[in-house]
């Protein structure tokens, strides 16, 4: 069984650590990727990590995960609140999906309270900082079970 986990990051997350650090913290996306790879090795998950500012690229990575990856972790960033296209792509995936938001979107502007992606997510992790990605990987390891070799 596949142990591939595709970790997807939406627009502006390339600026993590530099943009609005009072909201998103000082860790960079490279730090997040390194932690995902470290924890992935521990949990025997093969991590594929991507970021894009382009909606179609995120959709293409979701399509690429079909029938190949065990699970998806996605922080769709601003596309969370706008993208039916990403929801439709995720609906065609089939495996577990964990939605992550670094900030607590429910404490912020009303337009951030709606997530199209939550309708398909197995779980949602909100407001736990960049640690949310590690929590998501641990949840996926629980959902897909141990590597029995
Ligand atoms: C975010 C929250 C979104 O509302 C925002 O557009 C982002 C990041 C988060 O991780 O807290 O870019 O997804």
């Amino acid at each position: 069984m596949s142990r591939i986990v595709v970790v997807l990051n939406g627009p502006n997350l390339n600026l993590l650590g530099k943009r609005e650090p009072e909201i998103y913290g000082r860790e960079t996306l490279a730090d997040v990727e390194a932690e995902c790879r470290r924890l992935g090795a521990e949990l025997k998950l093969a991590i594929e990590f991507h970021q894009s500012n382009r909606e179609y690229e995120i959709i293409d990575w979701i399509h690429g995960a079909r029938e190949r990856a065990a699970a998806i972790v996605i922080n769709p960033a601003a596309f969370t609140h706008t993208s039916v296209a990403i929801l439709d792509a995720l609906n065609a995936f089939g495996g577990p999906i964990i939605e992550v938001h670094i900030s607590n979107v429910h404490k912020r502007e009303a337009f951030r309270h709606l997530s199209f992606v939550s309708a398909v997510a197995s779980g949602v992790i909100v407001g736990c900082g960049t640690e949310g990605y590690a929590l998501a990987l641990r949840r996926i390891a629980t959902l897909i079970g141990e590597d029995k070799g």
Side-chain angles (χ1 to χ4, degrees):
M1 196 198 150
S2 165
R3 306 278 300 173
I4 297 171
V5 179
V6 177
V7 182
L8 298 176
N9 294 279
N12 302 304
L13 288 169
N14 53 314
L15 296 180
L16 196 63
K18 296 180 204 114
R19 87 159 165 153
E20 301 182 274
E22 64 291 354
I23 296 176
Y24 299 113
R26 300 219 172 258
E27 263 198 306
T28 66
L29 197 63
D31 296 331
V32 173
E33 179 173 358
E35 176 55 16
C36 285
R37 292 194 187 285
R38 189 203 62 73
L39 182 61
E42 189 183 300
L43 299 172
K44 298 196 171 62
L45 302 173
I47 305 297
E48 295 182 5
F49 196 97
H50 301 288
Q51 186 276 332
S52 182
N53 297 325
R54 300 171 186 86
E55 193 174 15
Y56 77 86
E57 245 177 340
I58 295 168
I59 292 166
D60 285 350
W61 285 320
I62 295 168
H63 291 177
R66 291 182 74 235
E67 291 161 16
R68 197 177 60 82
I72 292 176
V73 172
I74 183 164
N75 182 347
F79 292 149
T80 307
H81 319 298
T82 62
S83 182
V84 176
I86 288 177
L87 170 63
D88 285 349
L90 290 169
N91 269 322
F93 172 61
I97 296 162
I98 307 291
E99 176 183 356
V100 173
H101 298 286
I102 297 164
S103 66
N104 181 355
V105 283
H106 300 293
K107 253 180 148 177
R108 301 179 63 194
E109 303 95 323
F111 64 81
R112 295 186 203 275
H113 300 177
L114 171 75
S115 166
F116 285 100
V117 171
S118 294
V120 67
S122 320
V124 182
I125 298 168
V126 160
C128 296
T130 50
E131 198 183 337
Y133 290 82
L135 297 171
L137 291 180
R138 289 194 187 279
R139 178 63 184 157
I140 280 167
T142 302
L143 290 174
I144 70 173
E146 266 176 61
D147 180 6
K148 306 242 166 50

PDB file of all heavy atoms in Angstrom, residues 10-13 16 19-20 23-24 74-81 99-105 108-109 111-113 125-127 129 133, ligand 1:
ATOM      1  N   GLY A  10      -0.795  26.637  -0.764  1.00  0.00           N
ATOM      2  CA  GLY A  10      -1.327  27.600  -1.708  1.00  0.00           C
ATOM      3  C   GLY A  10      -0.600  28.937  -1.713  1.00  0.00           C
ATOM      4  O   GLY A  10       0.519  29.067  -1.194  1.00  0.00           O
ATOM      5  N   PRO A  11      -1.251  29.944  -2.305  1.00  0.00           N
ATOM      6  CA  PRO A  11      -0.611  31.215  -2.601  1.00  0.00           C
ATOM      7  C   PRO A  11      -0.076  31.959  -1.376  1.00  0.00           C
ATOM      8  O   PRO A  11      -0.702  31.926  -0.315  1.00  0.00           O
ATOM      9  CB  PRO A  11      -1.718  32.025  -3.284  1.00  0.00           C
ATOM     10  CG  PRO A  11      -2.987  31.357  -2.896  1.00  0.00           C
ATOM     11  CD  PRO A  11      -2.656  29.900  -2.725  1.00  0.00           C
ATOM     12  N   ASN A  12       1.048  32.586  -1.584  1.00  0.00           N
ATOM     13  CA  ASN A  12       1.730  33.453  -0.608  1.00  0.00           C
ATOM     14  C   ASN A  12       2.451  32.682   0.490  1.00  0.00           C
ATOM     15  O   ASN A  12       3.202  33.279   1.263  1.00  0.00           O
ATOM     16  CB  ASN A  12       0.761  34.480   0.007  1.00  0.00           C
ATOM     17  CG  ASN A  12       0.111  35.348  -1.039  1.00  0.00           C
ATOM     18  OD1 ASN A  12       0.825  35.985  -1.807  1.00  0.00           O
ATOM     19  ND2 ASN A  12      -1.197  35.345  -1.121  1.00  0.00           N
ATOM     20  N   LEU A  13       2.255  31.369   0.547  1.00  0.00           N
ATOM     21  CA  LEU A  13       2.948  30.600   1.588  1.00  0.00           C
ATOM     22  C   LEU A  13       4.447  30.480   1.298  1.00  0.00           C
ATOM     23  O   LEU A  13       5.219  30.143   2.196  1.00  0.00           O
ATOM     24  CB  LEU A  13       2.293  29.231   1.794  1.00  0.00           C
ATOM     25  CG  LEU A  13       0.925  29.334   2.494  1.00  0.00           C
ATOM     26  CD1 LEU A  13       0.182  28.011   2.450  1.00  0.00           C
ATOM     27  CD2 LEU A  13       1.070  29.808   3.938  1.00  0.00           C
ATOM     28  N   LEU A  16       6.212  32.603   3.758  1.00  0.00           N
ATOM     29  CA  LEU A  16       6.084  32.263   5.182  1.00  0.00           C
ATOM     30  C   LEU A  16       7.375  32.641   5.933  1.00  0.00           C
ATOM     31  O   LEU A  16       8.482  32.393   5.451  1.00  0.00           O
ATOM     32  CB  LEU A  16       5.809  30.763   5.317  1.00  0.00           C
ATOM     33  CG  LEU A  16       5.280  30.299   6.668  1.00  0.00           C
ATOM     34  CD1 LEU A  16       3.926  30.922   6.976  1.00  0.00           C
ATOM     35  CD2 LEU A  16       5.153  28.764   6.685  1.00  0.00           C
ATOM     36  N   ARG A  19       6.117  37.249   5.664  1.00  0.00           N
ATOM     37  CA  ARG A  19       4.868  38.023   5.592  1.00  0.00           C
ATOM     38  C   ARG A  19       4.097  37.887   6.903  1.00  0.00           C
ATOM     39  O   ARG A  19       3.971  36.791   7.443  1.00  0.00           O
ATOM     40  CB  ARG A  19       4.021  37.583   4.404  1.00  0.00           C
ATOM     41  CG  ARG A  19       3.125  36.433   4.684  1.00  0.00           C
ATOM     42  CD  ARG A  19       1.962  36.315   3.718  1.00  0.00           C
ATOM     43  NE  ARG A  19       1.426  34.979   3.901  1.00  0.00           N
ATOM     44  CZ  ARG A  19       0.186  34.620   3.666  1.00  0.00           C
ATOM     45  NH1 ARG A  19      -0.676  35.477   3.199  1.00  0.00           N
ATOM     46  NH2 ARG A  19      -0.215  33.399   3.876  1.00  0.00           N
ATOM     47  N   GLU A  20       3.624  38.982   7.426  1.00  0.00           N
ATOM     48  CA  GLU A  20       2.774  39.025   8.625  1.00  0.00           C
ATOM     49  C   GLU A  20       3.222  38.015   9.702  1.00  0.00           C
ATOM     50  O   GLU A  20       2.433  37.159  10.101  1.00  0.00           O
ATOM     51  CB  GLU A  20       1.310  38.766   8.230  1.00  0.00           C
ATOM     52  CG  GLU A  20       0.779  39.781   7.223  1.00  0.00           C
ATOM     53  CD  GLU A  20      -0.685  39.543   6.870  1.00  0.00           C
ATOM     54  OE1 GLU A  20      -0.950  38.742   5.961  1.00  0.00           O
ATOM     55  OE2 GLU A  20      -1.544  40.153   7.526  1.00  0.00           O
ATOM     56  N   ILE A  23       1.093  36.983  12.579  1.00  0.00           N
ATOM     57  CA  ILE A  23      -0.012  36.035  12.336  1.00  0.00           C
ATOM     58  C   ILE A  23       0.527  34.636  12.046  1.00  0.00           C
ATOM     59  O   ILE A  23       0.035  33.648  12.586  1.00  0.00           O
ATOM     60  CB  ILE A  23      -0.887  36.507  11.149  1.00  0.00           C
ATOM     61  CG1 ILE A  23      -1.560  37.833  11.484  1.00  0.00           C
ATOM     62  CG2 ILE A  23      -1.945  35.442  10.794  1.00  0.00           C
ATOM     63  CD1 ILE A  23      -2.369  38.429  10.337  1.00  0.00           C
ATOM     64  N   TYR A  24       1.561  34.559  11.192  1.00  0.00           N
ATOM     65  CA  TYR A  24       1.990  33.249  10.688  1.00  0.00           C
ATOM     66  C   TYR A  24       3.306  32.753  11.304  1.00  0.00           C
ATOM     67  O   TYR A  24       3.724  31.632  11.000  1.00  0.00           O
ATOM     68  CB  TYR A  24       2.121  33.304   9.158  1.00  0.00           C
ATOM     69  CG  TYR A  24       0.811  33.637   8.471  1.00  0.00           C
ATOM     70  CD1 TYR A  24       0.635  34.838   7.781  1.00  0.00           C
ATOM     71  CD2 TYR A  24      -0.262  32.750   8.523  1.00  0.00           C
ATOM     72  CE1 TYR A  24      -0.569  35.140   7.155  1.00  0.00           C
ATOM     73  CE2 TYR A  24      -1.468  33.046   7.905  1.00  0.00           C
ATOM     74  CZ  TYR A  24      -1.620  34.239   7.227  1.00  0.00           C
ATOM     75  OH  TYR A  24      -2.813  34.534   6.622  1.00  0.00           O
ATOM     76  N   ILE A  74      -3.296  19.591   2.918  1.00  0.00           N
ATOM     77  CA  ILE A  74      -3.382  20.811   2.097  1.00  0.00           C
ATOM     78  C   ILE A  74      -3.654  22.036   2.946  1.00  0.00           C
ATOM     79  O   ILE A  74      -4.581  22.049   3.758  1.00  0.00           O
ATOM     80  CB  ILE A  74      -4.435  20.647   0.961  1.00  0.00           C
ATOM     81  CG1 ILE A  74      -4.448  21.893   0.065  1.00  0.00           C
ATOM     82  CG2 ILE A  74      -5.813  20.307   1.488  1.00  0.00           C
ATOM     83  CD1 ILE A  74      -5.144  21.696  -1.280  1.00  0.00           C
ATOM     84  N   ASN A  75      -2.801  23.054   2.752  1.00  0.00           N
ATOM     85  CA  ASN A  75      -3.105  24.406   3.214  1.00  0.00           C
ATOM     86  C   ASN A  75      -3.366  25.220   1.950  1.00  0.00           C
ATOM     87  O   ASN A  75      -2.429  25.689   1.301  1.00  0.00           O
ATOM     88  CB  ASN A  75      -1.947  25.002   4.011  1.00  0.00           C
ATOM     89  CG  ASN A  75      -2.298  26.392   4.535  1.00  0.00           C
ATOM     90  OD1 ASN A  75      -3.296  26.989   4.112  1.00  0.00           O
ATOM     91  ND2 ASN A  75      -1.480  26.917   5.423  1.00  0.00           N
ATOM     92  N   PRO A  76      -4.635  25.345   1.559  1.00  0.00           N
ATOM     93  CA  PRO A  76      -4.928  26.025   0.293  1.00  0.00           C
ATOM     94  C   PRO A  76      -4.771  27.547   0.386  1.00  0.00           C
ATOM     95  O   PRO A  76      -5.002  28.242  -0.605  1.00  0.00           O
ATOM     96  CB  PRO A  76      -6.391  25.652   0.021  1.00  0.00           C
ATOM     97  CG  PRO A  76      -6.793  24.668   1.087  1.00  0.00           C
ATOM     98  CD  PRO A  76      -5.853  24.854   2.230  1.00  0.00           C
ATOM     99  N   ALA A  77      -4.422  28.060   1.577  1.00  0.00           N
ATOM    100  CA  ALA A  77      -4.257  29.503   1.802  1.00  0.00           C
ATOM    101  C   ALA A  77      -5.517  30.232   1.322  1.00  0.00           C
ATOM    102  O   ALA A  77      -6.621  29.767   1.596  1.00  0.00           O
ATOM    103  CB  ALA A  77      -2.963  30.000   1.161  1.00  0.00           C
ATOM    104  N   ALA A  78      -5.385  31.322   0.591  1.00  0.00           N
ATOM    105  CA  ALA A  78      -6.580  32.104   0.225  1.00  0.00           C
ATOM    106  C   ALA A  78      -7.540  31.331  -0.682  1.00  0.00           C
ATOM    107  O   ALA A  78      -8.742  31.618  -0.700  1.00  0.00           O
ATOM    108  CB  ALA A  78      -6.161  33.411  -0.431  1.00  0.00           C
ATOM    109  N   PHE A  79      -7.039  30.318  -1.417  1.00  0.00           N
ATOM    110  CA  PHE A  79      -7.939  29.517  -2.268  1.00  0.00           C
ATOM    111  C   PHE A  79      -8.959  28.728  -1.431  1.00  0.00           C
ATOM    112  O   PHE A  79      -9.986  28.306  -1.960  1.00  0.00           O
ATOM    113  CB  PHE A  79      -7.144  28.544  -3.149  1.00  0.00           C
ATOM    114  CG  PHE A  79      -6.306  29.191  -4.221  1.00  0.00           C
ATOM    115  CD1 PHE A  79      -5.117  28.611  -4.640  1.00  0.00           C
ATOM    116  CD2 PHE A  79      -6.703  30.380  -4.828  1.00  0.00           C
ATOM    117  CE1 PHE A  79      -4.328  29.189  -5.632  1.00  0.00           C
ATOM    118  CE2 PHE A  79      -5.924  30.975  -5.822  1.00  0.00           C
ATOM    119  CZ  PHE A  79      -4.734  30.377  -6.232  1.00  0.00           C
ATOM    120  N   THR A  80      -8.663  28.533  -0.154  1.00  0.00           N
ATOM    121  CA  THR A  80      -9.612  27.887   0.770  1.00  0.00           C
ATOM    122  C   THR A  80     -10.997  28.504   0.642  1.00  0.00           C
ATOM    123  O   THR A  80     -12.008  27.801   0.661  1.00  0.00           O
ATOM    124  CB  THR A  80      -9.159  28.150   2.227  1.00  0.00           C
ATOM    125  OG1 THR A  80      -7.801  27.763   2.365  1.00  0.00           O
ATOM    126  CG2 THR A  80     -10.037  27.427   3.229  1.00  0.00           C
ATOM    127  N   HIS A  81     -10.980  29.835   0.578  1.00  0.00           N
ATOM    128  CA  HIS A  81     -12.218  30.604   0.715  1.00  0.00           C
ATOM    129  C   HIS A  81     -12.880  30.912  -0.634  1.00  0.00           C
ATOM    130  O   HIS A  81     -13.905  31.572  -0.670  1.00  0.00           O
ATOM    131  CB  HIS A  81     -11.918  31.924   1.448  1.00  0.00           C
ATOM    132  CG  HIS A  81     -10.964  31.755   2.583  1.00  0.00           C
ATOM    133  ND1 HIS A  81     -11.243  30.956   3.671  1.00  0.00           N
ATOM    134  CD2 HIS A  81      -9.700  32.233   2.804  1.00  0.00           C
ATOM    135  CE1 HIS A  81     -10.208  30.974   4.504  1.00  0.00           C
ATOM    136  NE2 HIS A  81      -9.257  31.741   3.997  1.00  0.00           N
ATOM    137  N   GLU A  99      -6.918  19.234   6.088  1.00  0.00           N
ATOM    138  CA  GLU A  99      -6.796  20.671   5.776  1.00  0.00           C
ATOM    139  C   GLU A  99      -6.082  21.341   6.953  1.00  0.00           C
ATOM    140  O   GLU A  99      -6.442  21.106   8.116  1.00  0.00           O
ATOM    141  CB  GLU A  99      -8.211  21.237   5.607  1.00  0.00           C
ATOM    142  CG  GLU A  99      -8.262  22.738   5.366  1.00  0.00           C
ATOM    143  CD  GLU A  99      -9.722  23.243   5.293  1.00  0.00           C
ATOM    144  OE1 GLU A  99     -10.669  22.410   5.350  1.00  0.00           O
ATOM    145  OE2 GLU A  99      -9.903  24.457   5.219  1.00  0.00           O
ATOM    146  N   VAL A 100      -5.088  22.150   6.631  1.00  0.00           N
ATOM    147  CA  VAL A 100      -4.308  22.837   7.672  1.00  0.00           C
ATOM    148  C   VAL A 100      -4.370  24.348   7.446  1.00  0.00           C
ATOM    149  O   VAL A 100      -4.230  24.818   6.314  1.00  0.00           O
ATOM    150  CB  VAL A 100      -2.819  22.393   7.629  1.00  0.00           C
ATOM    151  CG1 VAL A 100      -1.966  23.225   8.582  1.00  0.00           C
ATOM    152  CG2 VAL A 100      -2.682  20.913   7.959  1.00  0.00           C
ATOM    153  N   HIS A 101      -4.574  25.085   8.536  1.00  0.00           N
ATOM    154  CA  HIS A 101      -4.378  26.532   8.525  1.00  0.00           C
ATOM    155  C   HIS A 101      -3.492  26.898   9.699  1.00  0.00           C
ATOM    156  O   HIS A 101      -3.772  26.490  10.842  1.00  0.00           O
ATOM    157  CB  HIS A 101      -5.710  27.285   8.604  1.00  0.00           C
ATOM    158  CG  HIS A 101      -6.570  26.980   7.431  1.00  0.00           C
ATOM    159  ND1 HIS A 101      -6.301  27.490   6.182  1.00  0.00           N
ATOM    160  CD2 HIS A 101      -7.626  26.162   7.292  1.00  0.00           C
ATOM    161  CE1 HIS A 101      -7.184  27.009   5.332  1.00  0.00           C
ATOM    162  NE2 HIS A 101      -7.990  26.199   5.970  1.00  0.00           N
ATOM    163  N   ILE A 102      -2.459  27.656   9.406  1.00  0.00           N
ATOM    164  CA  ILE A 102      -1.493  28.043  10.437  1.00  0.00           C
ATOM    165  C   ILE A 102      -2.169  28.944  11.464  1.00  0.00           C
ATOM    166  O   ILE A 102      -2.008  28.768  12.672  1.00  0.00           O
ATOM    167  CB  ILE A 102      -0.295  28.760   9.763  1.00  0.00           C
ATOM    168  CG1 ILE A 102       0.422  27.779   8.823  1.00  0.00           C
ATOM    169  CG2 ILE A 102       0.659  29.341  10.807  1.00  0.00           C
ATOM    170  CD1 ILE A 102       1.362  28.450   7.830  1.00  0.00           C
ATOM    171  N   SER A 103      -2.920  29.911  10.972  1.00  0.00           N
ATOM    172  CA  SER A 103      -3.611  30.848  11.866  1.00  0.00           C
ATOM    173  C   SER A 103      -4.995  30.309  12.209  1.00  0.00           C
ATOM    174  O   SER A 103      -5.513  29.415  11.530  1.00  0.00           O
ATOM    175  CB  SER A 103      -3.747  32.212  11.181  1.00  0.00           C
ATOM    176  OG  SER A 103      -4.602  32.106  10.047  1.00  0.00           O
ATOM    177  N   ASN A 104      -5.587  30.879  13.256  1.00  0.00           N
ATOM    178  CA  ASN A 104      -6.968  30.523  13.595  1.00  0.00           C
ATOM    179  C   ASN A 104      -7.897  31.391  12.749  1.00  0.00           C
ATOM    180  O   ASN A 104      -8.231  32.517  13.118  1.00  0.00           O
ATOM    181  CB  ASN A 104      -7.244  30.724  15.078  1.00  0.00           C
ATOM    182  CG  ASN A 104      -8.672  30.332  15.421  1.00  0.00           C
ATOM    183  OD1 ASN A 104      -9.461  30.010  14.534  1.00  0.00           O
ATOM    184  ND2 ASN A 104      -9.005  30.363  16.695  1.00  0.00           N
ATOM    185  N   VAL A 105      -8.297  30.838  11.617  1.00  0.00           N
ATOM    186  CA  VAL A 105      -9.105  31.604  10.661  1.00  0.00           C
ATOM    187  C   VAL A 105     -10.434  32.060  11.277  1.00  0.00           C
ATOM    188  O   VAL A 105     -11.000  33.072  10.858  1.00  0.00           O
ATOM    189  CB  VAL A 105      -9.367  30.782   9.368  1.00  0.00           C
ATOM    190  CG1 VAL A 105      -8.138  30.768   8.484  1.00  0.00           C
ATOM    191  CG2 VAL A 105      -9.821  29.364   9.670  1.00  0.00           C
ATOM    192  N   ARG A 108     -10.437  35.510  12.749  1.00  0.00           N
ATOM    193  CA  ARG A 108     -10.059  36.569  11.803  1.00  0.00           C
ATOM    194  C   ARG A 108     -11.290  37.052  11.021  1.00  0.00           C
ATOM    195  O   ARG A 108     -12.411  36.835  11.448  1.00  0.00           O
ATOM    196  CB  ARG A 108      -8.933  36.042  10.899  1.00  0.00           C
ATOM    197  CG  ARG A 108      -7.703  35.620  11.730  1.00  0.00           C
ATOM    198  CD  ARG A 108      -6.584  35.080  10.865  1.00  0.00           C
ATOM    199  NE  ARG A 108      -6.083  36.115   9.952  1.00  0.00           N
ATOM    200  CZ  ARG A 108      -5.301  35.850   8.908  1.00  0.00           C
ATOM    201  NH1 ARG A 108      -4.927  34.603   8.645  1.00  0.00           N
ATOM    202  NH2 ARG A 108      -4.889  36.838   8.122  1.00  0.00           N
ATOM    203  N   GLU A 109     -11.069  37.709   9.892  1.00  0.00           N
ATOM    204  CA  GLU A 109     -12.167  38.300   9.122  1.00  0.00           C
ATOM    205  C   GLU A 109     -13.214  37.238   8.759  1.00  0.00           C
ATOM    206  O   GLU A 109     -12.874  36.079   8.510  1.00  0.00           O
ATOM    207  CB  GLU A 109     -11.650  38.927   7.816  1.00  0.00           C
ATOM    208  CG  GLU A 109     -10.583  39.998   7.980  1.00  0.00           C
ATOM    209  CD  GLU A 109      -9.178  39.434   7.841  1.00  0.00           C
ATOM    210  OE1 GLU A 109      -8.916  38.298   8.296  1.00  0.00           O
ATOM    211  OE2 GLU A 109      -8.330  40.148   7.277  1.00  0.00           O
ATOM    212  N   PHE A 111     -14.700  36.613   6.051  1.00  0.00           N
ATOM    213  CA  PHE A 111     -14.518  35.900   4.774  1.00  0.00           C
ATOM    214  C   PHE A 111     -13.600  34.691   4.912  1.00  0.00           C
ATOM    215  O   PHE A 111     -13.573  33.821   4.052  1.00  0.00           O
ATOM    216  CB  PHE A 111     -14.037  36.844   3.656  1.00  0.00           C
ATOM    217  CG  PHE A 111     -12.677  37.464   3.867  1.00  0.00           C
ATOM    218  CD1 PHE A 111     -11.519  36.756   3.567  1.00  0.00           C
ATOM    219  CD2 PHE A 111     -12.556  38.757   4.352  1.00  0.00           C
ATOM    220  CE1 PHE A 111     -10.260  37.325   3.745  1.00  0.00           C
ATOM    221  CE2 PHE A 111     -11.299  39.342   4.533  1.00  0.00           C
ATOM    222  CZ  PHE A 111     -10.155  38.626   4.244  1.00  0.00           C
ATOM    223  N   ARG A 112     -12.840  34.636   6.027  1.00  0.00           N
ATOM    224  CA  ARG A 112     -11.968  33.458   6.240  1.00  0.00           C
ATOM    225  C   ARG A 112     -12.696  32.324   6.961  1.00  0.00           C
ATOM    226  O   ARG A 112     -12.134  31.251   7.184  1.00  0.00           O
ATOM    227  CB  ARG A 112     -10.719  33.851   7.037  1.00  0.00           C
ATOM    228  CG  ARG A 112      -9.816  34.819   6.306  1.00  0.00           C
ATOM    229  CD  ARG A 112      -8.527  35.076   7.075  1.00  0.00           C
ATOM    230  NE  ARG A 112      -7.956  36.339   6.684  1.00  0.00           N
ATOM    231  CZ  ARG A 112      -7.156  36.522   5.615  1.00  0.00           C
ATOM    232  NH1 ARG A 112      -6.804  35.512   4.854  1.00  0.00           N
ATOM    233  NH2 ARG A 112      -6.688  37.726   5.318  1.00  0.00           N
ATOM    234  N   HIS A 113     -13.938  32.559   7.370  1.00  0.00           N
ATOM    235  CA  HIS A 113     -14.663  31.525   8.126  1.00  0.00           C
ATOM    236  C   HIS A 113     -15.232  30.448   7.208  1.00  0.00           C
ATOM    237  O   HIS A 113     -15.534  29.353   7.667  1.00  0.00           O
ATOM    238  CB  HIS A 113     -15.790  32.157   8.962  1.00  0.00           C
ATOM    239  CG  HIS A 113     -15.300  33.164   9.950  1.00  0.00           C
ATOM    240  ND1 HIS A 113     -16.136  33.897  10.764  1.00  0.00           N
ATOM    241  CD2 HIS A 113     -14.035  33.571  10.263  1.00  0.00           C
ATOM    242  CE1 HIS A 113     -15.407  34.708  11.511  1.00  0.00           C
ATOM    243  NE2 HIS A 113     -14.133  34.534  11.225  1.00  0.00           N
ATOM    244  N   ILE A 125      -7.159  21.210  10.801  1.00  0.00           N
ATOM    245  CA  ILE A 125      -6.300  21.681  11.889  1.00  0.00           C
ATOM    246  C   ILE A 125      -6.094  23.180  11.696  1.00  0.00           C
ATOM    247  O   ILE A 125      -5.566  23.611  10.666  1.00  0.00           O
ATOM    248  CB  ILE A 125      -4.960  20.922  11.911  1.00  0.00           C
ATOM    249  CG1 ILE A 125      -5.237  19.434  12.148  1.00  0.00           C
ATOM    250  CG2 ILE A 125      -4.028  21.489  12.983  1.00  0.00           C
ATOM    251  CD1 ILE A 125      -4.060  18.534  11.927  1.00  0.00           C
ATOM    252  N   VAL A 126      -6.525  23.934  12.669  1.00  0.00           N
ATOM    253  CA  VAL A 126      -6.590  25.397  12.537  1.00  0.00           C
ATOM    254  C   VAL A 126      -5.941  26.045  13.749  1.00  0.00           C
ATOM    255  O   VAL A 126      -6.207  25.633  14.885  1.00  0.00           O
ATOM    256  CB  VAL A 126      -8.084  25.810  12.441  1.00  0.00           C
ATOM    257  CG1 VAL A 126      -8.274  27.263  12.777  1.00  0.00           C
ATOM    258  CG2 VAL A 126      -8.640  25.518  11.068  1.00  0.00           C
ATOM    259  N   GLY A 127      -5.075  27.036  13.512  1.00  0.00           N
ATOM    260  CA  GLY A 127      -4.584  27.855  14.615  1.00  0.00           C
ATOM    261  C   GLY A 127      -3.524  27.203  15.481  1.00  0.00           C
ATOM    262  O   GLY A 127      -3.243  27.685  16.574  1.00  0.00           O
ATOM    263  N   GLY A 129      -0.395  26.995  14.490  1.00  0.00           N
ATOM    264  CA  GLY A 129       0.882  27.420  13.925  1.00  0.00           C
ATOM    265  C   GLY A 129       1.370  26.399  12.900  1.00  0.00           C
ATOM    266  O   GLY A 129       0.595  25.557  12.414  1.00  0.00           O
ATOM    267  N   TYR A 133       1.094  21.132  10.547  1.00  0.00           N
ATOM    268  CA  TYR A 133       1.500  20.175   9.506  1.00  0.00           C
ATOM    269  C   TYR A 133       1.933  18.846  10.131  1.00  0.00           C
ATOM    270  O   TYR A 133       1.614  17.776   9.624  1.00  0.00           O
ATOM    271  CB  TYR A 133       2.652  20.739   8.670  1.00  0.00           C
ATOM    272  CG  TYR A 133       2.268  21.892   7.774  1.00  0.00           C
ATOM    273  CD1 TYR A 133       2.191  23.198   8.263  1.00  0.00           C
ATOM    274  CD2 TYR A 133       2.008  21.689   6.425  1.00  0.00           C
ATOM    275  CE1 TYR A 133       1.854  24.257   7.438  1.00  0.00           C
ATOM    276  CE2 TYR A 133       1.670  22.742   5.586  1.00  0.00           C
ATOM    277  CZ  TYR A 133       1.589  24.032   6.105  1.00  0.00           C
ATOM    278  OH  TYR A 133       1.247  25.070   5.282  1.00  0.00           O
TER     279      TYR A 133
HETATM  280  C1  LIG B   1      -4.055  30.472   5.903  1.00  0.00           C
HETATM  281  C2  LIG B   1      -5.314  31.295   6.226  1.00  0.00           C
HETATM  282  C3  LIG B   1      -5.899  31.912   4.969  1.00  0.00           C
HETATM  283  O1  LIG B   1      -7.079  32.663   5.291  1.00  0.00           O
HETATM  284  C4  LIG B   1      -4.896  32.851   4.324  1.00  0.00           C
HETATM  285  O2  LIG B   1      -5.401  33.356   3.117  1.00  0.00           O
HETATM  286  C5  LIG B   1      -3.562  32.231   4.144  1.00  0.00           C
HETATM  287  C6  LIG B   1      -3.040  31.288   5.131  1.00  0.00           C
HETATM  288  C7  LIG B   1      -3.363  29.934   7.173  1.00  0.00           C
HETATM  289  O3  LIG B   1      -2.531  29.052   7.030  1.00  0.00           O
HETATM  290  O4  LIG B   1      -3.632  30.422   8.280  1.00  0.00           O
HETATM  291  O5  LIG B   1      -2.845  32.568   3.198  1.00  0.00           O
HETATM  292  O6  LIG B   1      -4.455  29.345   5.120  1.00  0.00           O
END
